[in-house]
Amino acid sequence: MSEAPVMQDCLISPDLEDLYMECGDILTDDDYMTVPDLSRETTEPVTKEVEELHATEEAQRLFEDSEPELEEEKPAQELQSTQRKREYKKKFDKAREHARIITDEEIRLRKPVAADEHLSLREILHKGQSHTITDPREYQLELFERAKKQNIIAVLDTGSGKTLIAVLLLRHILDQELEDRSGGKKPRIAFFLVDSVALVFQQYEVLNSNLDQPINCFCGDMNPDHWGKSTWEGHLKENMVIVCTAEILYQCLMRSFIRIDQINLLIFDEAHHAKKSHPYARIIKDFYIPEDDQLNRPKIFGMTASPVDVRSNFTQAAKNLEDMLHCQIATTADLTLLRMSVSRPNECLTKYPALPLPFETELYREMQARYGDLEVLTKIFSYAKEASSQLGQWCADQVWSFAMAEHEALKFERRVEKNFSKAQDTRPVEILDDEMNRLREAQKFVMNWDFTKPTEGGNGLSSKVSVLRQWLDGVFERPTNDRCIVFVDRRYTARLLHDLFARIGTSHLRAGLLVGARNGEPGDRVLSVRQQILTLSNFRKGLVNCLFATSIAEEGLDIPECNMVIRFDLYRTLIQYIQSRGRARHAESRYIHMVEEHNQWHFQAIRDVRQGEDVMRKFCESLPADRLLQGNDSNLGAVLEKEKNLRVFVDPESGAKLTYASSLAVLAHFVSCLPNASSSPNYNMTAEHGQYTCEIILPESSPIHSATGRPSSRKAIAKRSAAFEACLLLRKGGHLDENLLSTHHKHLPAMRNAHLALNLNKSSRYEMKVKPKIWEDSRGLVPESLFMTIFRLEEPEKLGRESQPIALMTRTRMPQFPCVLLHLQADQTSNLTFASLRGSLQISQDALLRLNAFTLRLYKDIFNKTYEVNDQAMSYWFAPVVKDFPHATGQRGSHELLDWAVLDYVYKNEAWQWNIHRQPSELEGRYLVDRWDGGRRFWSLKVLPDLRPRDPVPPDATAHKYMDSILDYSVSLFPKARKRAVWLEDQPVIYAHRILHRLNWLDEFSQKDLKVNNKAYVCPEPLLFSALPSAVVAMAYLIPSAISRVESFLIALEACDMLGLTVRPDLALEAITKDSENTEEHRGEQIHFQRGMGKNYERLEFIGDCFLKMATSISIFCLRPENDEFDYHVRRMVQICNKNLLDVALKKKLYKYIRSVGFSRRNWYPQGIKLLEGKGINKIDNQVYDHTLGDKTIADVCEALIGASLLSSNNTGNMDMAVKAVTVLVSHPDHDVAEWADYYKLYTKPSYQIGQVSAVQTNLALQIHGKTGYRFKYPRLLMSAFVHPSLPSSGGIPCYQRLEFLGDSLLDMACVNFLFHRHPDRDPQWLTEHKMAMVSNKFLAALAVKLGFHTHIRYSGTAIEWQKREYAQEAHEVELEHHGARDYWTATRTPPKCLADVVESYLGAVFVDSEFDFSEIERFFDDHVRWFFEDMSIYDTFANHHPVTHLHHHLVLSLHCSNYKVMASAVPNAAGTDVQHQVAVVMVHGEVVASGMAASSKNAKVKACERALEVLKPLLLLDFRQMWGCDCVEGEDE
């Protein structure tokens, strides 16, 4: 060990036991399960051997028809996206797998490689040390033998092996248990009880390493509150020992999940806690003592280092503990042996010069002068002044820096509001505003203060800190394995010293902070249990070697490496002294008492603990070995003396036991299970004649609204009495079951998470329609008449050459298709229109021959396909249209619109014949076809008289495989045929453009397309001059895109027809279009994006989802007028959940119609006629195609079809088709409606609505009419909209909750309708985020105040009155301060929910009163809501508050990263539970950043994104790029 400064006096430590006891700070476990970080696991990339093409071959490919049968070749970017998706999914699957309960074997396998921060608490503790215990010592065996015979409390020093005695006793009890079970006795189980979460895992590891029987451990974070009796029966059946916190066992006994006679052994770790209402004491009082048969009572074994505190009567206190636990205190008969076995530290006393009196620093004086009258800063002033003496000026000023940090200042503001609410009758609201403003000023003042560096001497650092620094510098002046713990009283002190020595300590001092998890004063540092355990793990490994700790480190810390403990602040009790001393476990460790010179209190404190330890030692030594058990049954009665008058309820069905003590927990659990429960019970205390009476007010959604307890002289008893009464009422009403659990929770999880029953990541292969059924149905006969649909460019000049419209001739009249945008050249686009003519055209046999010839010539010359002539098998024909269409439509009939001259010429001539006598001008503007190479087509431009056929090919010509001469370049024959061929040597040379074989004009030009060289030099003789005019050919090249889109429209309409829906073609196609594998991820990188498919379903799904919610809400409201709001929510969820939509869609085979594949170069060709020549000749005509669809995609398409049905009314307000779509797609008896008018037919006016109207109700209707403009026909209905649930009855008029349920969906629809049409280019995520502002409680509350609704609310209780009055006053003032700005309401504080509720309930009432006239809802929106949201950009910040949105914006806008993903999926159920959880993971460049777990994927994503922001927000851009390997380009398209 390193040398330390020579100090003054030395004390010899007395031989007493160490004591595990906490003083002030309580460990609480982390509130989430951590998904292990898989960021260092790499996925082998999927690579493919790709042969490198020569430049000429690459150029050739761009002109040729060489793509696969179904899809075009994937660009490199898409292949990269696919690979990235696989890597993401692989890592996410691993994260999801590791999120479940980890088995012991997995712990063993992962332990060598996983870092502590990625392990569970159980793994960290298991990894830290060996837990196997061997060779018990004599004193351990002695106490074990005594424990076998009777109940004892073993009093032994820290580190003396009390847990081994428990292990020996457990082995003995388990052996007995096995014998008893073999003899036919009922099984019993042992419980090892601890007082903190951390000790659950620590003691479990010890027992699990030393017992050979099944054992498990439980704590509150495992959500045992949600486990039912069957779950606990499974745990009790599978295990023989359970380690848990005492509260868990107490709850099990109270609910009768287990009986006391089913337990064979109770082990109380740190048994000194068994007093007052601690769970240890309650287990004994409520269940152990009432068990009259002693044979049914379990054996008890307690462990402690000190049974009582020195400041009480030791003998009496020891007797009380014995009585409470029905035990006998016992220690070893030979304390000498114990002293030899347990290492004690050398105790040293070090003095520091007397401290000055507390003084005011400059910062303190400034704060005092400016803000000294602020009550909430009183404690900070006090501690800052105290710190000036104890720690010095620098630390005193740092107190303000901690307390006034931005996130800590919010605590002050909350405290100001709380204090103000207590004085609501006497203090005007202006005082609150002033305090809040001054607090913000104080925060800015401190943040701008110039803090100096810490210095010794003067007032910089105190003498106490200077002495501590001497010790720490002496220990850590050079590299060392030493470990030191510095104990202090307060978190502030720990944090100040930690920060100080991080600055001034030696380079070998690695400081750590260890404080508790309870929320404290602003500026106090809080560490979760996980953070505490990680800190201790780092301390054990030496990554941290100096801990600054509060009393949280005094109990349960077992670190053999620790060899120095410094009591910077002296202990206050014997327990603190013994426990902190016990932390120095090393053989030659030191325990240093820091005392102030001439401070008698300090020296008295040392004398007190020495004397107390001496008294305890003498007490233990004086205990006779054969004394009688003091805690006998007669004394047990005395334990219950104080509670004999308190009522107890035992459920006759189960034996569950409700007491005053347990009623608070039972009621709290019940409230947590209520739907939409966001508040806890309110306890209102009144005093009269020295007696307190408590009334409890439960949340609005509770079936019991209030209960009043019996009077009591004590407030605590009065409060418990009220809770007890409420529990009795709930049990009587059937709202608590026989085990005192909420009956709501039995069906709540399944219904609430109905959408989770659908695996959001599951996908399957489904059949896919490629051709519409209309073609097949129309084939089979020779047509006598045909219908014309004319394809024409709106801006034909954008094509770059002359074009001529073309008609699609079909047996059946086509619908009027919407136009389609085509990309004709770089940055040149035009709409392609489809004009479906009404009348048919009579077709003679002669005309049909010409249509056949034209159509087949078009396939042959342009697309290199030769089909058989078969009139009956043709699905459709093509024909040229006169060039002056559409101007000719008014003067000509359908027959005259066709260009019969072209048809006749093509019918009579297979090609235009060239000969040597043709004039050069005749060769220009022709369409040339390579006879032997289907990929070579040319536009002839002009004849070049200066060139000859045998001249070399000009260097600017596009590459070809034959380049010896121009003539050679023009011929594509194979070598042998080339040798035999003879050509005219004096034929002309034509300058031409080789035609890019582009069929998909729906997609933009790629960069590669734009760079293609198309110059060519050819001779006419080897080439075929097509009989098709070049204007016709130019238009014909667009046919593949046109036919592809027409067939998609037809398939979409076919899907709607299958569902019985009439929908516009463009909306029908949009509703079934999925253009990427992750279409639903609105801002994620699109995987396998299919370009040119048009709009996808996501926006229609957004509005369809909203209409679905509204439609089902209306139907349920009408059908079930007596049901409560919670039942409405459940029934609606059953209908609208994705699982239900999927099931219906699968039954109807909707998956066949979904468009998930973009343009295909193969599938646009006609079916029915036989292909004689060309690629695909062996293709089966009726081949079945399939595609992969996710379950959620299919459900989303259902909602999109509802949206399409709604919008097909062309804004007429007719919603009948959307109503019908809902009925078809939810297929549920709760929505059997054919049209909108049917809703009102379902509604039966309740008696309260049509009852006699009072003057008060009439007056209310008149006032509301003046404020909103709507006159109610049924004022009693309006009154219901303003009755708060807290009011038990209001003349038979129900509260507003049912109307609120209805109005909520109506308002949603109005807001979504506005956003959808006002912002046609915004994606659903943007729409959702900004809708949040429109329907937020904050806005609706401000609107309620603006309309004066808050003055009409009827309620019970003063709290609501004060809340709404104060909020209304603030809202008015904020509006004035912001000069009436549209977004003034965002600056108000969180409003009472009732204000927002009445706006929604009012809208529900208007809707019902107007006989379900939705236009009244829209009128209210236009009159009172729309103005606030004309400019939605001002609410971008409001939307950004959502963690998912915030993360997206931070990554994209601040860190310029587009390669990220948020994934969520269900994880396997935890062992023994029926509760399914969802895990979400945020990944950046394939690496896990953060994770979250919750009951729903939505909440899991929120948690994951919150934690990801905590990781990413502090990083600079450069740090982020280095840490996560980000190479995204700023501004890169997502």
Side-chain angles (χ1 to χ4, degrees), residues 1307-1369:
L1307 178 62
D1308 256 21
M1309 190 68 238
C1311 294
V1312 165
N1313 213 27
F1314 166 77
L1315 285 173
F1316 188 91
H1317 292 95
R1318 186 65 175 267
H1319 303 280
D1321 298 323
R1322 291 293 190 175
D1323 65 64
Q1325 186 162 331
W1326 186 94
L1327 296 172
T1328 300
E1329 291 163 358
H1330 288 73
K1331 187 197 80 168
M1332 288 165 53
M1334 305 178 75
V1335 300
S1336 66
N1337 285 344
K1338 217 169 189 183
F1339 168 69
L1340 294 180
L1343 181 62
V1345 170
K1346 195 170 186 65
L1347 293 173
F1349 283 5
H1350 63 293
T1351 62
H1352 304 296
I1353 302 176
R1354 296 182 165 236
Y1355 52 85
S1356 175
T1358 58
I1360 296 175
E1361 168 60 27
W1362 179 81
Q1363 289 172 0
K1364 71 183 185 69
R1365 185 178 70 241
E1366 292 301 314
Y1367 176 80
Q1369 186 171 349

Side-chain angles (χ1 to χ4, degrees), residues 102-114 123 126:
I102 302 171
T103 64
D104 294 337
E105 180 63 16
E106 287 172 324
I107 293 175
R108 184 185 67 79
L109 292 174
R110 290 173 54 196
K111 180 176 67 175
V113 295
E123 291 174 298
H126 180 82

Side-chain angles (χ1 to χ4, degrees), residues 1144-1157:
V1144 173
L1146 292 180
K1147 290 177 184 177
K1148 296 184 177 296
K1149 298 183 179 179
L1150 183 60
Y1151 49 79
K1152 295 197 301 183
Y1153 303 92
I1154 296 176
R1155 304 289 86 198
S1156 65
V1157 178

Side-chain angles (χ1 to χ4, degrees), residues 107-373:
I107 293 175
R108 184 185 67 79
L109 292 174
R110 290 173 54 196
K111 180 176 67 175
V113 295
D116 284 354
E117 58 268 23
H118 304 143
L119 300 179
S120 67
L121 295 180
R122 186 185 298 186
E123 291 174 298
I124 295 170
L125 290 166
H126 180 82
K127 180 180 178 181
Q129 53 191 337
S130 172
H131 302 280
T132 304
I133 301 175
T134 58
D135 301 328
R137 299 185 178 97
E138 185 177 334
Y139 66 86
Q140 293 170 323
L141 293 173
E142 173 194 347
L143 289 175
F144 162 57
E145 291 298 329
R146 293 188 64 180
K148 286 166 56 177
K149 299 173 184 177
Q150 63 188 79
N151 296 345
I152 70 167
I153 302 172
V155 179
L156 291 175
D157 202 357
T158 300
S160 58
K162 296 185 293 294
T163 306
L164 174 55
I165 304 173
V167 169
L168 296 173
L169 183 59
L170 275 167
R171 288 174 180 171
H172 169 73
I173 294 296
L174 294 180
D175 289 345
Q176 275 189 344
E177 176 64 19
L178 292 173
E179 291 294 330
D180 291 344
R181 292 185 183 185
S182 65
K185 292 185 179 181
K186 292 183 178 179
R188 303 174 82 189
I189 190 170
F191 276 87
F192 192 114
L193 303 180
V194 298
D195 187 52
S196 69
V197 174
L199 289 176
V200 170
F201 299 102
Q202 180 172 304
Q203 298 293 33
Y204 166 81
E205 287 300 327
V206 175
L207 299 188
N208 193 47
S209 299
N210 291 278
L211 298 177
D212 58 358
Q213 296 299 329
I215 179 174
N216 211 333
C217 65
F218 303 121
C219 64
D221 276 12
M222 297 176 182
N223 294 319
D225 289 349
H226 298 289
W227 298 351
K229 187 174 180 65
S230 59
T231 301
W232 275 109
E233 286 176 345
H235 288 314
L236 299 174
K237 183 178 180 180
E238 295 168 3
N239 299 291
M240 295 188 73
V241 181
I242 288 178
V243 183
C244 64
T245 52
E247 181 64 26
I248 288 179
L249 176 58
Y250 177 66
Q251 292 288 328
C252 285
L253 289 166
M254 180 265 292
R255 300 188 188 282
S256 196
F257 293 154
I258 187 174
R259 302 186 309 275
I260 198 71
D261 62 346
Q262 293 176 289
I263 303 174
N264 51 30
L265 175 63
L266 282 175
I267 299 176
F268 293 94
D269 192 19
E270 310 300 345
H272 52 268
H273 290 302
K275 53 188 175 184
K276 298 181 180 180
S277 290
H278 190 280
Y280 284 179
R282 295 254 52 99
I283 289 170
I284 298 297
K285 291 178 181 180
D286 294 348
F287 304 103
Y288 182 88
I289 295 176
E291 177 56 63
D292 296 328
D293 189 347
Q294 294 198 26
L295 294 178
N296 287 336
R297 290 176 178 170
K299 178 176 284 296
I300 293 178
F301 176 67
M303 304 184 296
T304 182
S306 175
V308 292
D309 201 306
V310 69
R311 294 185 178 178
S312 59
N313 184 317
F314 196 95
T315 303
Q316 183 59 44
K319 181 181 182 300
N320 292 342
L321 184 63
E322 288 184 325
D323 290 345
M324 177 63 73
L325 291 180
H326 198 219
C327 284
Q328 185 181 83
I329 289 177
T331 188
T332 177
D334 188 356
L335 291 176
T336 303
L337 177 61
L338 179 61
R339 296 188 194 108
M340 295 173 59
S341 304
V342 179
S343 174
R344 283 282 186 85
N346 295 318
E347 297 192 43
C348 298
L349 181 148
T350 184
K351 298 177 184 177
Y352 52 89
L355 298 172
L357 292 175
F359 58 91
E360 298 178 357
T361 67
E362 182 182 355
L363 176 56
Y364 182 99
R365 290 192 296 272
E366 289 286 349
M367 292 294 290
Q368 180 70 40
R370 296 166 184 263
Y371 314 108
D373 59 326

Side-chain angles (χ1 to χ4, degrees), residues 1219-1466:
V1219 172
K1220 184 177 182 181
V1222 172
T1223 299
V1224 171
L1225 292 168
V1226 302
S1227 187
H1228 195 277
D1230 275 350
H1231 193 280
D1232 188 11
V1233 183
E1235 58 185 24
W1236 183 265
D1238 290 344
Y1239 286 130
Y1240 192 66
K1241 296 175 184 177
L1242 293 177
Y1243 181 68
T1244 301
K1245 296 183 185 71
S1247 58
Y1248 86 85
Q1249 180 180 340
I1250 58 179
Q1252 185 174 359
V1253 180
S1254 68
V1256 172
Q1257 294 157 1
T1258 301
N1259 179 262
L1260 174 64
L1262 287 173
Q1263 291 191 59
I1264 295 299
H1265 172 253
K1267 294 173 179 178
T1268 67
Y1270 181 81
R1271 186 182 299 276
F1272 268 82
K1273 297 189 287 287
Y1274 298 98
R1276 290 173 65 87
L1277 181 67
L1278 173 63
M1279 178 65 77
S1280 177
F1282 289 97
V1283 175
H1284 190 270
S1286 64
L1287 197 65
S1289 175
S1290 182
I1293 296 178
C1295 72
Y1296 61 56
Q1297 287 181 319
R1298 296 184 185 89
L1299 289 172
E1300 178 207 346
F1301 169 82
L1302 177 62
D1304 169 74
S1305 65
L1306 295 168
L1307 178 62
D1308 256 21
M1309 190 68 238
C1311 294
V1312 165
N1313 213 27
F1314 166 77
L1315 285 173
F1316 188 91
H1317 292 95
R1318 186 65 175 267
H1319 303 280
D1321 298 323
R1322 291 293 190 175
D1323 65 64
Q1325 186 162 331
W1326 186 94
L1327 296 172
T1328 300
E1329 291 163 358
H1330 288 73
K1331 187 197 80 168
M1332 288 165 53
M1334 305 178 75
V1335 300
S1336 66
N1337 285 344
K1338 217 169 189 183
F1339 168 69
L1340 294 180
L1343 181 62
V1345 170
K1346 195 170 186 65
L1347 293 173
F1349 283 5
H1350 63 293
T1351 62
H1352 304 296
I1353 302 176
R1354 296 182 165 236
Y1355 52 85
S1356 175
T1358 58
I1360 296 175
E1361 168 60 27
W1362 179 81
Q1363 289 172 0
K1364 71 183 185 69
R1365 185 178 70 241
E1366 292 301 314
Y1367 176 80
Q1369 186 171 349
E1370 178 186 312
H1372 286 309
E1373 292 172 353
V1374 170
E1375 184 177 9
L1376 290 174
E1377 290 172 2
H1378 288 71
H1379 307 291
R1382 298 176 196 260
D1383 63 340
Y1384 77 88
W1385 57 269
T1386 60
T1388 62
R1389 61 180 165 182
T1390 302
K1393 185 176 181 294
C1394 63
L1395 294 177
D1397 289 345
V1398 294
V1399 174
E1400 294 174 337
S1401 59
Y1402 168 78
L1403 289 174
V1406 168
F1407 185 71
V1408 174
D1409 189 80
S1410 65
E1411 300 182 358
F1412 293 24
D1413 184 356
F1414 188 73
S1415 66
E1416 286 295 337
I1417 306 299
E1418 293 179 312
R1419 186 189 65 78
F1420 177 88
F1421 178 89
D1422 290 339
D1423 291 348
H1424 304 293
V1425 178
R1426 185 187 187 107
W1427 178 83
F1428 291 92
F1429 302 101
E1430 291 289 354
D1431 179 8
M1432 289 303 297
S1433 65
I1434 62 179
Y1435 298 107
D1436 289 345
T1437 303
F1438 186 94
N1440 289 348
H1441 289 165
H1442 194 278
V1444 179
T1445 305
H1446 192 177
L1447 177 64
H1448 164 77
H1449 288 164
H1450 184 66
L1451 282 166
V1452 174
L1453 303 179
S1454 299
L1455 300 177
H1456 311 303
C1457 178
S1458 58
N1459 187 355
Y1460 66 93
K1461 199 170 187 67
V1462 182
M1463 305 177 73
S1465 178

Side-chain angles (χ1 to χ4, degrees), residues 729 762 1333:
L729 290 174
K762 180 185 176 185

